[in-house]
Structure formats: structure tokens, C-alpha cells
Amino acid sequence: HIQDPASQRLTWNKPPKSVLVIKKIRDASLLQPFKELCVYLTEENNMIVYVEKKVLEDPAIANDENFGPVKKKFCTFREDYDDISNQIDFIICLGGDGTLLYASSLFQGSVPPVMAFHLGSLGFLTPFNFENFQSQVTQVIEGNAALVLRSRLKVKVVKEHREKMTVQNGIEENGVVSANLEKEVGKQIMQYQVLNEVVVDRGPSSYLSNVDVFLNGHLITTVQGDGVIVSTPTGSTAYAAAAGASMIHPNVPAIMITPICPHSLSFRPIVVPAGVELKIMLSPDARNTAWVSFDGRKRQEICHGDSISITTSCYPLPSICFRDPVSDWFESLAECLHWNVRKKQNNFAVEEEE
């Protein structure tokens, strides 16, 4: 039997004790929901709440005396310095889709279930409204919720001929943790887990980009245009949709390849199986370098001899549904993208028989 995507449920082996709360930075409208949620989690549910240190440095929170007793109970961490991957039972996001992408970037391995509240601008990936947050959070803690496993991309960037850097105790000279950095002679290898898309573009150059795309070692095409988007089904409704791609339900195991403004009348977006390995390199005769970004972050230049390898990760992001994966997705299409909104055609008036 083919599994019904709506049948996946959240099941706890033991009751959750720790929760990571991610709040959109520099958004004053989220301060009150953030405080209410943290008070509810700590005082009503006796949970250990993890919060990023820079969130608590907000003056509105730091100077709030009434919030002081709750704040003292928090466990804090810093991105790129502290590893909390094995200490979190589930995640609550307050903000827009960017908060979910940020949560994904914090976990380069297994990701705890994520409950995302729509308090941002778009909200395609954030199905929960904050009005009834107490009952909704309680249902999640009790394990009464549907799940959608959003596949991620495992991306490996190999750069040739770089300047040698010394690493001591896992920290580079510039103070950046090198947990995802491997050293080889004349090579730099970096790995990323990507929820939406990998974007390769021409950067500041006025020339067309020329990049070769390989699938399982075979050259399938050369992209001549502004670039190419390699996206997950979750990312198919983001940049890829703006570039003319189809929208794929997150339960479909696939990778989408979408050109950005290709100089070709026949270059359609294509969908390939989730198990393939893609490799993107500058064409040997490319006039300029390319640039790559991962979910809009870690943007860097790609030169001749560098390569970007992309496969489906074995660590998906479990996203908690408001209703179920199918209903939530079509509701997001209607609410956020106004999919197929059109004035209805009038029917023919039935003439009365004489």
C-alpha cells in the first residue's frame, strides 16, 4: 500500500522536556507573544526553554523586570559556537518562513519536530495562528499532531587552491567554528543542510553564467542565463515558483532543477528522483565566476575547478501540521499565493419552456 501522506503522526517515546524557542530578531510585535509563550512553557509545563543569546539582548526584554524571573530559567546558546543538537526535544518558531529556515540551519544532522507560528510576512511554512497557542502547544506535547517530513538537500562544496588556514581546537583564526570544515591539500570542503534551495547565479557580472550540470556523473546540460535553482519540494513554492517552476507537495520524493532567465526558449524546469546526485561546476569556457547561496545564506564565489555536489539528505525536517499535510499545503497555496484565484464564469440562464 502507498502511504497516505496525511497518516504520519507525531509520537513521543517519552514526554518532551526541552524546547527551543526561535523568535524573529528586531521585530517588536513578537515581544509579547514571545513572553506569553515562554511563561506558559516554563510555569505551566515545567519545560526547559532554550533561547538564542542575541534574542535576550533585545532592550525590551533585557529591561523588563516582570520578565526577569522567567528569563533566569532560560538556557542560552550562540549560533556557530554552541552545539545544542542533542539537547532539544522540539522547536517552536515565532515569525515567518525565515525562522523555519533558520531553525533548519541550526541542525546539520537530525532535526527535532518544528511547530511554526505565523507571525511574519508570508507564512507559507507556518500553519499555526498564535491566538490559541496554549491548546495547540499542549496537543503537541501530548503527541496529538500530524507531521510532514520536509526533505532537505545535503550539499558539499569543494573549492580548489585556497589559502591555508590554521585550525586550533576546532576554531579558526577568525573565530568561526569549523565543525563542518574538512581540510585537504589545496582543497576546502564545506557541507550544508538546505531546506529550500541551492541557488547558483552570475553574481555582479554582466555576462551570462555558464555552468555545467551533471546527474550521477553524466553531463545533462549547460545553463546559460542568470543561473540555476536546485530545490526541494518545500522550496518549489519559493524562488523556484517565482522562476516559473511547478509546485510540488513536500511529501513527493524529488529534486527540482529550475533555470533562472535561461537564454533558451526550450529550457523547462525538470523534476528528478530524490536519490540522484547532482554536481554543478563552472563550464571550462565560462567568461566569469559564479556565486552560490544556501537558503539565502552563506553566499560565496565559485571559481574554475570548484564543484557543488547535491543529494537528498537523510535528515529531513519534521514539520508539525495544523490539520494534515494535504490540507495545510493547499490552504497555504490559497492564502499566501492566491493560487487559481479567478472570477467565476456565469452559467447560462435556463429559458422557460413555452
Side-chain angles (χ1 to χ4, degrees), residues 52-54 77-82 102 105-106 177 297-298:
E52 194 168 6
K53 199 167 187 178
K54 63 184 178 183
F77 72 98
R78 293 174 298 170
E79 184 190 7
D80 291 333
Y81 280 87
D82 302 314
Y102 180 67
S105 71
L106 292 175
V177 173
R297 308 181 81 213
K298 309 289 185 183

Side-chain angles (χ1 to χ4, degrees), residues 70-140:
V70 177
K71 193 167 59 174
K72 290 179 181 177
K73 298 179 183 179
F74 288 157
C75 293
T76 60
F77 72 98
R78 293 174 298 170
E79 184 190 7
D80 291 333
Y81 280 87
D82 302 314
D83 182 13
I84 58 168
S85 56
N86 295 321
Q87 301 169 32
I88 306 298
D89 290 329
F90 75 104
I91 304 168
I92 297 179
C93 292
L94 303 177
D97 292 349
T99 57
L100 189 69
L101 295 172
Y102 180 67
S104 171
S105 71
L106 292 175
F107 294 86
Q108 293 299 299
S110 179
V111 189
V114 182
M115 182 181 194
F117 285 94
H118 177 200
L119 291 164
S121 53
L122 183 60
F124 195 93
L125 307 177
T126 53
F128 289 93
N129 291 318
F130 196 76
E131 296 171 358
N132 303 315
F133 78 92
Q134 294 98 332
S135 61
Q136 293 170 342
V137 171
T138 299
Q139 284 190 332
V140 171

Side-chain angles (χ1 to χ4, degrees), residues 13 22 40 47 123 140 144-145 166 176 184 187 201 207 217 233 276 281 285 312 327 336:
N13 293 326
I22 296 177
Y40 178 73
M47 300 201 73
V140 171
N144 183 23
T166 58
V176 178
E184 287 188 10
K187 289 186 179 181
D201 61 57
Y207 293 114
V276 304
M281 301 181 70
D285 55 353
T312 299
S327 300
C336 301

Side-chain angles (χ1 to χ4, degrees), residues 13-205:
N13 293 326
K14 56 183 180 180
K17 293 295 182 185
S18 60
V19 57
L20 168 62
V21 178
I22 296 177
K23 184 185 83 71
K24 186 179 179 182
I25 304 294
R26 296 184 296 275
D27 190 336
S29 66
L30 297 184
L31 291 174
Q32 191 58 36
F34 173 73
K35 293 174 183 178
E36 291 178 15
L37 174 65
C38 291
V39 168
Y40 178 73
L41 291 170
T42 54
E43 297 184 359
E44 299 291 330
N45 293 280
N46 296 317
M47 300 201 73
I48 302 169
V49 176
Y50 284 78
V51 177
E52 194 168 6
K53 199 167 187 178
K54 63 184 178 183
V55 171
L56 299 183
E57 292 170 354
D58 190 317
I61 295 177
N63 300 329
D64 190 339
E65 296 179 358
N66 296 328
F67 195 57
V70 177
K71 193 167 59 174
K72 290 179 181 177
K73 298 179 183 179
F74 288 157
C75 293
T76 60
F77 72 98
R78 293 174 298 170
E79 184 190 7
D80 291 333
Y81 280 87
D82 302 314
D83 182 13
I84 58 168
S85 56
N86 295 321
Q87 301 169 32
I88 306 298
D89 290 329
F90 75 104
I91 304 168
I92 297 179
C93 292
L94 303 177
D97 292 349
T99 57
L100 189 69
L101 295 172
Y102 180 67
S104 171
S105 71
L106 292 175
F107 294 86
Q108 293 299 299
S110 179
V111 189
V114 182
M115 182 181 194
F117 285 94
H118 177 200
L119 291 164
S121 53
L122 183 60
F124 195 93
L125 307 177
T126 53
F128 289 93
N129 291 318
F130 196 76
E131 296 171 358
N132 303 315
F133 78 92
Q134 294 98 332
S135 61
Q136 293 170 342
V137 171
T138 299
Q139 284 190 332
V140 171
I141 292 174
E142 293 174 352
N144 183 23
L147 274 182
V148 56
L149 295 178
R150 298 185 177 275
S151 65
R152 298 196 294 174
L153 299 175
K154 176 184 175 183
V155 187
K156 183 171 75 171
V157 179
V158 180
K159 290 189 174 183
E160 302 276 0
H161 309 302
R162 68 183 186 85
E163 192 176 323
K164 195 172 183 180
M165 299 168 64
T166 58
V167 176
Q168 295 178 347
N169 299 325
I171 299 179
E172 297 172 6
E173 287 178 333
N174 58 5
V176 178
V177 173
S178 58
N180 296 321
L181 197 64
E182 299 175 23
K183 303 290 177 179
E184 287 188 10
V185 178
K187 289 186 179 181
Q188 179 186 16
I189 302 176
M190 294 161 289
Q191 290 194 5
Y192 305 95
Q193 297 283 334
V194 176
L195 178 61
N196 259 1
E197 74 273 298
V198 179
V199 177
V200 180
D201 61 57
R202 60 189 173 101
S205 173

Side-chain angles (χ1 to χ4, degrees), residues 162-331:
R162 68 183 186 85
E163 192 176 323
K164 195 172 183 180
M165 299 168 64
T166 58
V167 176
Q168 295 178 347
N169 299 325
I171 299 179
E172 297 172 6
E173 287 178 333
N174 58 5
V176 178
V177 173
S178 58
N180 296 321
L181 197 64
E182 299 175 23
K183 303 290 177 179
E184 287 188 10
V185 178
K187 289 186 179 181
Q188 179 186 16
I189 302 176
M190 294 161 289
Q191 290 194 5
Y192 305 95
Q193 297 283 334
V194 176
L195 178 61
N196 259 1
E197 74 273 298
V198 179
V199 177
V200 180
D201 61 57
R202 60 189 173 101
S205 173
S206 59
Y207 293 114
L208 291 174
S209 69
N210 268 273
V211 294
D212 293 336
V213 180
F214 299 84
L215 192 148
N216 289 341
H218 302 284
L219 177 66
I220 56 171
T221 193
T222 297
V223 180
Q224 292 192 102
D226 281 353
V228 64
I229 305 166
V230 179
S231 59
T232 63
T234 295
S236 70
T237 50
Y239 193 0
S246 295
M247 294 178 288
I248 307 173
H249 190 277
N251 277 109
V252 178
I255 298 174
M256 175 168 278
I257 303 170
T258 306
I260 307 170
C261 297
H263 201 235
S264 164
L265 297 178
S266 59
F267 196 164
R268 299 290 187 91
I270 59 171
V271 180
V272 297
V276 304
E277 180 178 4
L278 295 169
K279 180 178 279 189
I280 299 175
M281 301 181 70
L282 272 181
S283 298
D285 55 353
R287 291 184 177 184
N288 55 301
T289 62
W291 289 75
V292 62
S293 60
F294 315 93
D295 284 343
R297 308 181 81 213
K298 309 289 185 183
R299 186 168 170 80
Q300 54 197 269
E301 192 172 14
I302 298 298
C303 303
H304 285 93
D306 298 346
S307 66
I308 306 164
S309 298
I310 305 169
T311 58
T312 299
S313 171
C314 58
Y315 300 111
L317 184 142
S319 181
I320 298 172
C321 301
F322 180 66
R323 290 190 179 86
D324 61 75
V326 174
S327 300
D328 284 10
W329 193 68
F330 278 100
E331 194 164 311

